[in-house]
Amino acid sequence: MKVLITDMVDPLLIEGLTELGYQPDYQPNINLYDVAECIHNYVGIIVTTKIALDSALIQRAEKLKFIARLGSGTDHIDTEAALTKNIRLITTPEANAGSVGEHAVGMIIHLLHNFSTSHDAVKRGIFDSNSFRVQELSELTVGIIGYGNTGSAFAKRLQGFDTEVIGFDKYRDSFDQYCKKVSLQELQKRAHILGIHLPLTKETRNLITASYLSRFERLWFVINTSRGNILNLHAVLDMVNKESLQGAGLDVIDNEEVETYTQEEKEFYHLLSIHPRILITPHIAGKSHSTRKQHAKILLKKLKSF
């Protein structure tokens, strides 16, 4: 029972697969073309975001019994094609939720405390504390849209800041003790900071537009650590420039393949990246040193049940 591993993983996963009776084929540098050429040999494939499994590729997988996604987003996997062939999809969103939650909190503190702009001023020899007076998080309300693994981890890590945390999720009836469930209308009325923790689906693609954001009555910052193409970045840049939004923290953008940029995309992302009140990190929120081992442990546990 051969299993193809298409990205770097903790050695624990390879050892565990062997103990479960699988034959792991570890190819962390494999490309999409080579996957297409050999996928018919495997009963399982383990992917991150590097390899996209579309319908055509899945149809070539004659023996495939499971697709294991190390992480949470499955927007790069044709889940309907997999279901049609009775291929089980296994994900490990629990593994990096804590890291994503911490990253989102860090982005908020970074923006509220003017880390980038004050540091740049000091590098230019300007040591002026009055120009960078900070806003305390305890005086603000944080709103979370999407209360799954990362949304709840974010709320948990906000404890201790004495901030009010409210959230909206149309698919959950109740939340935990870290966040008060409210309607979308109440969230838009009360939130100073919006944390986006949604999967990218047909329903959420282009969900948060200029019109959507304009319905917030006192929004200061938007934080997106989920997926690009959920939040309209042109709207964000326009609103920050007009100061109807004070800033944004983005760990994800619409197109993260820099080598594919059109001239228009190059110009837009340049404007976005140099803006003093927009913080962008390269999709690293879930990539802590401990997450690979966590992904391995959780996947092995789920494969035992499978």
Side-chain angles (χ1 to χ4, degrees):
M1 296 191 298
K2 295 178 67 177
V3 175
L4 177 62
I5 303 172
T6 65
D7 211 335
M8 294 187 69
V9 298
D10 191 276
L12 176 67
L13 180 56
I14 298 172
E15 296 166 9
L17 286 169
T18 303
E19 290 175 4
L20 289 174
Y22 294 104
Q23 296 174 264
D25 184 4
Y26 187 38
Q27 297 194 50
N29 298 316
I30 196 169
N31 59 38
L32 188 59
Y33 175 82
D34 289 335
V35 169
E37 291 298 303
C38 69
I39 195 170
H40 62 277
N41 294 317
Y42 301 95
V43 299
I45 183 170
I46 298 173
V47 300
T48 55
T49 54
K50 186 181 76 172
I51 299 297
L53 298 175
D54 61 13
S55 177
L57 192 56
I58 289 173
Q59 294 306 318
R60 297 171 71 104
E62 301 168 4
K63 302 176 182 178
L64 206 62
K65 300 298 181 185
F66 72 85
I67 297 168
R69 157 67 167 115
L70 298 179
S72 56
T74 58
D75 45 283
H76 60 305
I77 300 171
D78 192 324
T79 53
E80 291 183 6
L83 182 64
T84 300
K85 294 193 67 175
N86 293 317
I87 298 170
R88 174 83 173 272
L89 178 61
I90 305 170
T91 62
T92 59
E94 312 95 320
N96 60 357
S99 179
V100 174
E102 283 188 19
H103 195 90
V105 172
M107 283 187 146
I108 292 173
I109 300 301
H110 182 110
L111 291 166
L112 286 175
H113 286 253
N114 304 308
F115 283 166
S116 290
T117 50
S118 61
H119 179 57
D120 287 343
V122 171
K123 288 194 293 185
R124 298 195 308 272
I126 303 170
F127 208 91
D128 178 16
S129 58
N130 287 321
S131 298
F132 302 105
R133 193 168 294 275
V134 306
Q135 175 70 52
E136 292 184 40
L137 184 52
S138 61
E139 299 171 355
L140 306 177
T141 297
V142 177
I144 301 172
I145 179 167
Y147 205 72
N149 288 285
T150 62
S152 57
F154 176 44
K156 183 177 180 180
R157 280 152 182 79
L158 284 166
Q159 306 308 300
F161 287 99
D162 297 326
T163 186
E164 183 180 23
V165 183
I166 58 176
F168 169 75
D169 190 318
K170 66 186 292 186
Y171 295 108
R172 291 192 61 156
D173 295 327
S174 61
F175 288 1
D176 54 30
Q177 70 270 31
Y178 303 116
C179 181
K180 179 183 177 183
K181 180 177 171 62
V182 298
S183 66
L184 178 58
Q185 291 72 27
E186 185 175 351
L187 186 138
Q188 290 175 323
K189 181 178 181 180
R190 297 171 56 195
H192 297 96
I193 298 168
L194 174 63
I196 302 169
H197 293 273
L198 296 166
L200 179 61
T201 65
K202 292 178 181 178
E203 183 180 15
T204 64
R205 184 177 291 274
N206 300 318
L207 174 67
I208 303 179
T209 60
S211 174
Y212 188 102
L213 292 172
S214 70
R215 293 195 286 272
F216 282 81
E217 295 184 13
R218 49 181 183 174
L219 187 62
W220 288 22
F221 298 110
V222 175
I223 307 294
N224 188 11
T225 54
S226 56
R227 284 291 183 272
N229 293 299
I230 293 175
L231 172 66
N232 187 300
L233 298 182
H234 287 83
V236 169
L237 182 60
D238 183 58
M239 292 177 72
V240 176
N241 282 333
K242 292 178 178 177
E243 298 187 351
S244 54
L245 192 63
Q246 290 196 21
L250 310 169
D251 185 53
V252 290
I253 57 177
D254 298 347
N255 185 358
E256 297 175 2
E257 301 294 333
V258 178
E259 64 277 6
T260 69
Y261 282 2
T262 63
Q263 185 60 37
E264 183 179 355
E265 285 177 313
K266 288 179 182 178
E267 293 171 2
F268 172 71
Y269 287 125
H270 175 68
L271 291 175
L272 203 66
S273 66
I274 65 172
H275 201 291
R277 290 183 310 226
I278 297 177
L279 172 65
I280 305 177
T281 53
H283 206 148
I284 58 172
K287 293 180 172 64
S288 72
H289 285 293
S290 62
T291 52
R292 276 186 185 155
K293 190 174 291 292
Q294 284 298 106
H295 282 304
K297 289 179 178 178
I298 291 169
L299 177 56
L300 289 170
K301 184 177 180 180
K302 292 183 177 182
L303 282 175
K304 286 178 183 178
S305 300
F306 171 74

